[in-house]
Amino acid sequence: MTMSAGWYLRRLSRMGPREVGGRAVDAVRRRRWRSALPDSPRVTGARFTAVLPAGTIAEVPPDAAKRLVAEADRLMAGHAEFFGVVRDDMADPDWWRDPKTGRRAPSGYAFDVPYRNEEAVGDVKQIWEPSRHQYLTVLAAAYAITGDERYAERVAEHLRQWWAANPPLRGVHWISGIELGIRLLSWVWIRRLLDGWPGAAGLFEGNPVALDQIWHHQRWLAAFPSRGSSANNHIVAEAAGQFAAACAFGWFPSSARWRADALASLERHLRSNTFISGLNRELATEYHGLVLELGLAAVAEADAAGVPVPATLRLVLLRMTDALAAVVDGRLRPPRQGDADDGHGLVVDGEGTDRWGSLLATGDAVFGRLAWWPEVTGTDVRTPLLAALLRPSAPGVKRPASRPSHFADAGMTILRGPGEIWCRCDGGPHGFLSIAAHAHADALSVEVRHDGVDVLADPGTFCYHGQPEWRQYFRSTLGHNTLQWEGADQSESGGPFLWTRHARSRVLVADASEDGVSRWCAEHDGYGDAVHRRRVELTAASKELRVVDEVRGARGTVRLAFHLGPEIAAELVGNRAVLTWTRDGEDRSALLDLPGQLSWRAHRGETSPPLGWYSAGFGRKEPSTTLVGTGRADGTEEFTTVLGFRG
C-alpha cells in the first residue's frame, strides 16, 4: 500500500504548526544523516551492574518455568509463529524476509525504504516482529532458569548475525522508533538474564559492534521522537527503551542526558496517554496492556539503577493497573476495543501464560491488590523478575473502595449480571489525538460475554498494512455491534491510521447494578442531523439484556449488526435467533429476539465484501456469524433487541 498525494494532504491537515515544524526539522536531519554517519564514542572499562538480585530465579513458579523452557525448546528447533504465520526457519532467520509473501525488504538508506508498500517490502510487521528480539529474551530467560548454555549461545549467535546484517541506518529495521525502543529494552533484559554466562560481557560491553549498535539506537531515538498527532503508544515505547538502555548501558558521554530526557518524555506521555480513570486514551485495550508493560519495565530499570522517578509516573501505572482489574471479565479477559496487534513490552514467558493475569500479578506485587480485584490463579515468569527490581509502592492516593463500572472520561461502562454476564457499552471519544490512529468507528457498540465466551463479539483487527479492504472492514461501523445509517461509517477514514472526522458521543445514563437492573444510555452525532441514541438494560433476575436503538431527526436506511463469537452457533428464523455453545463441557444457550421492523439475514465468512469474520489475534481471522437487519427509520420508531440467557 503506497500513500497518495491526497493522503499526505489529509495527514497534513491533522497536524498543528508545531508538529509541522518538527517534522520539517526531522526531514532535514534525515537528509544530513544520509552522508554523515558518525562513529560511536570509544568505550573502555564498561561494566554491567543492573543484575537481578540474588535468589530471584528461585522465585519463578515451576509450572511457569516449565512453559518457558518448552517455548525455548521450540525456538531452538527453529519453530515460531508470528501473527498467524508459522515459521520453521528461526534457527537461522533471514532478518529482511517476509515469510508470508516471500518478499525481501530492499536495502539502502533506512528512510528511503517504502515500508508501507507491500509490493516492494512485503508485510513489514512480519519482518519487524522477530527483530524486536523478544524471542531472544525467552531464550535468555531459559538460560537463566536452567543454566543450559545452548540457549545463551543461540542468543549470542543471533545477536551477532543481526548486528552484522543491520548496520546503523541501513535497511528496514531503522525506520520506526517503536521498533528501536522495544529492541533496546529486549537487549537490556537479554544482558541481565545472561549475566551468569561466561560470554555475556564479551557479547555486550566488551563488544565494539554491540556498543556501536546500542549508541546508534539511542542517538536515533533522541533525534526522531514521535511527534504531535503521532505521540501515542509509539512515543511511550521509544522513551521506555531509551530510558532502560541509558540506565543499564550508561556507558556513553550522552547517557546522562539521554536518561534525563527519556524519563521526562516517559512521564509526560504516560500521563497524556492515560485518562485520570486509568484507561488508555487510545481506547484500544491491547495498547493499554502494551503501555502498562512498558511503563513497569522502565520503572524497574530506574529502581535497579537507583534513579528517582516522579511520583506521578508510578501513580499513572497504579491507576492503569486498577482500571485493568476493573474491566476484565470473570476469565480475566479485557474488552476487545479498538486496534490490537499483539504488541508486548517484555516477553519472558512461554505459550499459555495469561498476559492480563501476569499484569495483575505484577500490580499486586508492586502496588498491592484491592479486595475487589479478581483472583489471579495462573503463574508467570515476568512477575517475579520485575518484582525483584521494582520498589514496592503505595502512592498517597485514594484507590477505589469497590470495583468501578463506569469510566466517565473514557466513556466505557461495564454491566455485569449473574452467570458471569459481562457487557461493555461504548460511549466514549472516537480515539486519541487528531488522527485517532487506532480507533474504530464503533460508537455505541456493545460487547457481551457469558462466562468469558464472546456472545456478541467485537470482531477485532486482523491487519494493518497491505489489505485495505480488510483493514476497512474490521474498523468500520458495520464491523461492530451498532447501527449504521445510510450505509456510512460514523467517523470518516482518511487512511489506515487516519480519521479525518470523529463522531462525538456522550453518555446520558450509566447506572450499573449487579443485583437489580443496570441501565446505560448514550448518543452520538456521527450521522449529522440523524442522531443515533441507544439504551441498554441488563436485568439480573431474568438474565436478560435489552438494547433499544433510535435515530432522531431524520429518515433513512438503517442496518443493525450483531456479530456472534466464533464459538456461537445460530439458528435464525425470521427475527429470532437461537444461540448455542459449549463451555467447559456444558451446553449453553440464549435467545436473541431482533427488531421485527427490519429484515434479517445471517452472514458468515463472506469476502465480497467482507462480512462475518472474527479475528482472535493480529494476522488471524476465522468465519463467524453476523446477523444484519436492514430497513427504514422514520425518525420516531425504536428498534428493540432482547438477548435472554437460559439456565
Side-chain angles (χ1 to χ4, degrees):
M1 175 169 36
T2 55
M3 299 295 106
S4 66
W7 178 86
Y8 284 103
L9 289 174
R10 292 191 296 272
R11 184 67 184 84
L12 185 64
S13 73
R14 309 304 294 177
M15 301 181 194
R18 185 174 180 179
E19 181 179 356
V20 172
R23 289 178 182 268
V25 170
D26 290 347
V28 171
R29 182 175 288 124
R30 290 187 184 110
R31 286 198 296 270
R32 188 170 70 246
W33 280 25
R34 178 192 297 273
S35 57
L37 182 67
D39 294 328
S40 58
R42 184 180 178 185
V43 174
T44 58
R47 294 177 59 246
F48 182 81
T49 59
V51 298
L52 288 170
T56 298
I57 297 301
E59 297 298 317
V60 175
D63 57 335
K66 183 178 179 180
R67 290 194 303 271
L68 166 66
V69 172
E71 183 74 16
D73 288 342
R74 283 191 290 271
L75 290 167
M76 290 293 289
H79 306 306
E81 181 178 334
F82 298 106
F83 307 137
V85 176
V86 176
R87 299 182 60 163
D88 59 8
D89 63 340
M90 291 304 294
D92 184 21
D94 182 338
W95 306 108
W96 291 16
R97 181 180 180 274
D98 165 26
K100 192 171 75 173
T101 64
R103 298 187 181 99
R104 290 190 88 246
S107 59
Y109 184 56
F111 296 114
D112 290 342
V113 176
Y115 69 95
R116 294 189 180 98
N117 185 348
E118 187 167 304
E119 293 299 317
V121 174
D123 184 337
V124 73
K125 283 188 69 64
Q126 287 286 347
I127 297 173
W128 278 342
E129 190 67 16
S131 288
R132 290 186 172 188
H133 290 168
Q134 292 175 328
Y135 79 96
L136 294 181
T137 57
V138 169
L139 291 175
Y143 165 76
I145 286 173
T146 66
D148 188 335
E149 294 193 357
R150 293 182 306 118
Y151 301 122
E153 290 163 357
R154 175 64 60 83
V155 171
E157 176 190 359
H158 280 203
L159 282 178
R160 293 183 191 278
Q161 289 176 353
W162 194 93
W163 290 331
N166 295 277
L169 294 182
R170 310 305 294 178
V172 71
H173 296 300
W174 289 87
I175 297 171
S176 173
I178 188 174
E179 305 304 317
L180 276 74
I182 290 177
R183 192 155 54 238
L184 276 178
L185 184 59
S186 295
W187 292 353
V188 168
W189 274 91
I190 289 168
R191 175 62 185 88
R192 174 175 290 128
L193 292 165
L194 294 185
D195 191 61
W197 180 53
L203 179 63
F204 279 93
E205 57 267 31
N207 181 359
V209 175
L211 293 170
D212 187 60
Q213 286 274 348
I214 293 167
W215 185 83
H216 276 286
H217 271 67
Q218 294 186 82
R219 175 179 180 257
W220 193 110
L221 289 170
F224 299 113
S226 293
R227 300 181 182 277
S229 56
S230 294
N232 52 16
N233 64 87
H234 283 232
I235 188 67
V236 175
E238 294 160 12
Q242 175 86 307
F243 179 71
C247 286
F249 301 147
W251 306 320
F252 306 103
S254 298
S255 290
R257 174 172 57 83
W258 286 337
R259 184 166 56 244
D261 290 349
L263 179 58
S265 176
L266 181 67
E267 191 274 338
R268 181 171 69 254
H269 289 290
L270 266 176
R271 281 191 293 106
S272 65
N273 272 254
T274 309
F275 288 113
I276 293 297
S277 67
L279 290 180
N280 184 266
R281 286 183 181 270
E282 292 198 75
L283 296 172
T285 309
E286 281 211 4
Y287 287 109
H288 182 108
L290 172 64
V291 168
L292 180 54
E293 289 172 357
L294 291 166
L296 289 168
V299 174
E301 295 305 328
D303 289 351
V307 176
V309 299
T312 49
L313 199 159
R314 295 184 196 269
L315 176 58
V316 171
L317 298 177
L318 167 64
R319 286 175 170 161
M320 292 183 73
T321 306
D322 280 342
L324 175 63
V327 300
V328 294
D329 65 20
R331 302 275 179 148
L332 301 185
R333 295 184 61 217
R336 284 168 52 85
Q337 183 180 22
D339 272 350
D341 71 348
D342 297 354
H344 291 259
L346 173 64
V347 180
V348 287
D349 275 286
E351 185 178 356
T353 302
D354 186 329
R355 174 187 194 175
W356 309 103
S358 171
L359 277 170
L360 292 178
T362 303
D364 184 5
V366 178
F367 304 118
R369 72 184 308 277
L370 296 173
W372 54 263
W373 274 29
E375 291 291 334
V376 176
T377 57
T379 62
D380 69 310
V381 174
R382 187 176 60 189
T383 288
L385 300 186
L386 283 176
L389 301 177
L390 284 160
R391 174 170 56 83
S393 175
V397 61
K398 185 178 179 181
R399 297 171 68 184
S402 58
R403 179 171 55 192
S405 59
H406 177 57
F407 299 81
D409 46 11
M412 182 188 293
T413 304
I414 306 294
L415 309 181
R416 299 175 190 265
E420 289 291 356
I421 298 172
W422 177 97
C423 173
R424 173 180 64 87
C425 302
D426 180 4
H430 175 60
F432 183 48
L433 302 174
S434 62
I435 63 173
H438 291 298
H440 290 186
D442 57 357
L444 309 197
S445 63
V446 295
E447 184 184 1
V448 182
R449 298 177 192 156
H450 185 278
D451 197 15
V453 173
D454 291 313
V455 179
L456 302 183
D458 184 301
T461 300
F462 177 54
C463 67
Y464 282 171
H465 301 284
Q467 302 177 76
E469 187 177 26
W470 289 100
R471 174 64 170 153
Q472 177 58 27
Y473 168 68
F474 275 99
R475 65 206 289 257
S476 70
T477 297
L478 185 61
H480 294 83
N481 297 318
T482 189
L483 182 144
Q484 185 192 56
W485 175 258
E486 292 287 275
D489 283 339
Q490 309 147 337
S491 297
E492 185 175 333
S493 172
F497 299 98
L498 170 64
W499 295 92
T500 55
R501 181 179 55 78
H502 301 183
R504 294 175 300 177
S505 302
R506 63 173 184 150
V507 176
L508 305 174
V509 176
D511 179 15
S513 169
E514 296 183 30
D515 300 324
V517 180
S518 299
R519 295 179 175 87
W520 176 86
C521 179
E523 63 184 19
H524 74 82
D525 66 356
Y527 298 132
D529 293 335
V531 176
H532 176 206
R533 177 175 290 183
R534 167 169 278 185
R535 304 194 307 273
V536 177
E537 291 185 357
L538 175 59
T539 303
S542 59
K543 299 183 181 179
E544 182 178 276
L545 186 80
R546 181 178 296 265
V547 181
V548 180
D549 291 288
E550 55 182 316
V551 181
R552 298 184 169 194
R555 298 183 178 185
T557 302
V558 300
R559 283 202 290 180
L560 186 60
F562 291 105
H563 301 264
L564 308 182
E567 298 179 50
I568 308 299
E571 183 179 348
L572 176 66
V573 178
N575 67 313
R576 172 171 287 187
V578 177
L579 313 182
T580 56
W581 66 98
T582 301
R583 181 59 152 171
D584 297 332
E586 181 182 342
D587 292 337
R588 312 283 181 90
S589 66
L591 190 63
L592 184 62
D593 282 317
L594 301 158
Q597 310 100 304
L598 304 178
S599 176
W600 289 91
R601 285 188 57 198
H603 304 263
R604 185 177 181 85
E606 299 174 8
T607 58
S608 299
L611 187 59
W613 295 91
Y614 179 93
S615 174
F618 196 82
R620 292 172 285 158
K621 69 180 187 300
E622 60 185 299
S624 63
T625 300
T626 297
L627 305 176
V628 178
T630 305
R632 298 279 299 176
D634 62 8
T636 61
E637 66 183 313
E638 297 181 342
F639 302 96
T640 301
T641 303
V642 180
L643 174 63
F645 293 95
R646 297 173 173 178

